[in-house]
Amino acid sequence: GWSVTGMIDAWFADAAVTGLTWDLIISAVVLTLWILAEVAVRRNWQALWAIPATFCIGVSCGFPLYLWLRSKPV
């Protein structure tokens, strides 16, 4: 079956998985801070869509989405 506690336990099952988990958590937090800092300066509000994409899908979706949304003229 599916359970949140089982999934969180799997994230910290051994040293390799724990390292990968922390790497992705730190990357997601840093990407979120970068997005918020640039949105505050550029006022490109559409770029905020990359934050839920980062936390719901992953950094590998949120980062390219943010760069694509950032490349559009404001």
Side-chain angles (χ1 to χ4, degrees), residues 16-67:
V17 177
T18 300
L20 179 61
T21 300
W22 280 112
D23 181 48
L24 291 173
I25 290 171
I26 292 168
S27 298
V29 169
V30 169
L31 178 59
T32 301
L33 293 174
W34 181 30
I35 291 170
L36 292 173
E38 285 213 345
V39 164
V41 173
R42 295 172 50 115
R43 305 287 188 223
N44 183 7
W45 304 111
Q46 288 183 344
L48 291 173
W49 282 106
I51 294 173
T54 298
F55 286 99
C56 293
I57 301 171
V59 176
S60 59
C61 175
F63 183 59
L65 176 64
Y66 174 68
L67 291 178

